[in-house]
Amino acid sequence: MEAVNCSCQQRFTPVDDLRPLEEIVEKYRGDRSALISIFHELHEAYGYLDEGIMEELAKRAGYQLSQLYGLATFYTQFRLEPVGEHLIKICHGTACHVRNAQGLIDEAQRTLGISPGQTSPDRKFTLETVNCVGTCALAPVVVVDGKYHGRMTPSKMQKLLKQYMEKGGTGGDED
Ligand code: FES
């Protein structure tokens, strides 16, 4: 199958391990209505859908690259780049929202220099906002690398992030 041309002429970062992608393409071969399912399974397998993955999918399953981009950027649940070394999720569900989750987001943006959905240029931090993480009694809640930090304040947030920035460490015990 011919490579799909992209108007930007960029060469994409190659996918390290193509086996999950090949298996998913085979599973849905011939099913033109399965693109969202393919995206979900690729996202599950790789943790993100970047240009390299989409280029391989376009080549192997016969999609237009522009079609894949359009879909991946429309659905906000798909991450379009690999996460950083530390994944910071700030809960923005109702209970956290009313307890100043926005203040935590503002502080994280200030301290890390990135916005929600972005990864720092050194690939150390990825910042995300998420819906209820299920621990509303501890609102507002921040989850760093799977570790829950409850009853956060902007100043605690800054301290926590600085621990990760300075030591690359575990972020202390703010739970
Ligand atoms: S709304 Fe944040 S933990 Fe439920």
Side-chain angles (χ1 to χ4, degrees):
M1 187 177 299
E2 265 184 29
V4 175
N5 290 325
C6 172
S7 58
C8 61
Q9 299 298 311
Q10 180 183 354
R11 282 305 309 157
F12 299 127
T13 311
V15 182
D16 287 339
D17 183 0
L18 281 170
R19 280 171 302 181
L21 187 141
E22 286 168 347
E23 284 169 17
I24 293 164
V25 167
E26 263 325 297
K27 180 176 170 185
Y28 291 103
R29 189 167 293 288
D31 184 355
R32 304 301 289 177
S33 66
L35 193 47
I36 286 290
S37 300
I38 292 172
F39 269 22
H40 276 293
E41 292 198 24
L42 286 172
H43 198 268
E44 175 89 15
Y46 291 101
Y48 57 93
L49 298 172
D50 73 351
E51 298 95 335
I53 291 170
M54 283 194 268
E55 186 185 47
E56 290 297 336
L57 177 61
K59 281 195 293 191
R60 285 156 197 272
Y63 291 103
Q64 293 291 322
L65 199 48
S66 57
Q67 178 189 6
L68 301 183
Y69 272 120
L71 204 61
T73 51
F74 180 78
Y75 290 98
T76 53
Q77 74 263 42
F78 296 126
R79 194 178 284 129
L80 301 179
E81 58 181 20
V83 293
E85 188 184 334
H86 300 295
L87 177 57
I88 297 150
K89 298 180 180 179
I90 302 177
C91 180
H92 206 256
T94 304
C96 290
H97 176 73
V98 299
R99 291 181 176 84
N100 196 27
Q102 188 58 49
L104 304 181
I105 295 167
D106 293 343
E107 183 57 50
Q109 290 190 120
R110 246 192 319 272
T111 304
L112 299 175
I114 53 174
S115 299
Q118 293 183 333
T119 296
S120 57
D122 62 1
R123 297 242 166 250
K124 196 154 185 183
F125 296 98
T126 294
L127 180 61
E128 289 184 347
T129 57
V130 293
N131 288 322
C132 181
V133 293
T135 52
C136 301
L138 298 175
V141 179
V142 174
V143 185
V144 184
D145 299 339
K147 184 174 179 185
Y148 285 61
H149 301 266
R151 300 194 181 93
M152 290 296 282
T153 63
S155 64
K156 281 182 177 177
M157 182 81 195
Q158 187 190 57
K159 190 174 155 208
L160 177 67
L161 293 176
K162 287 201 164 155
Q163 285 177 327
Y164 279 94
M165 291 166 89
E166 284 160 16
K167 300 178 198 159
T170 60
D173 43 24
E174 296 283 338
D175 309 277

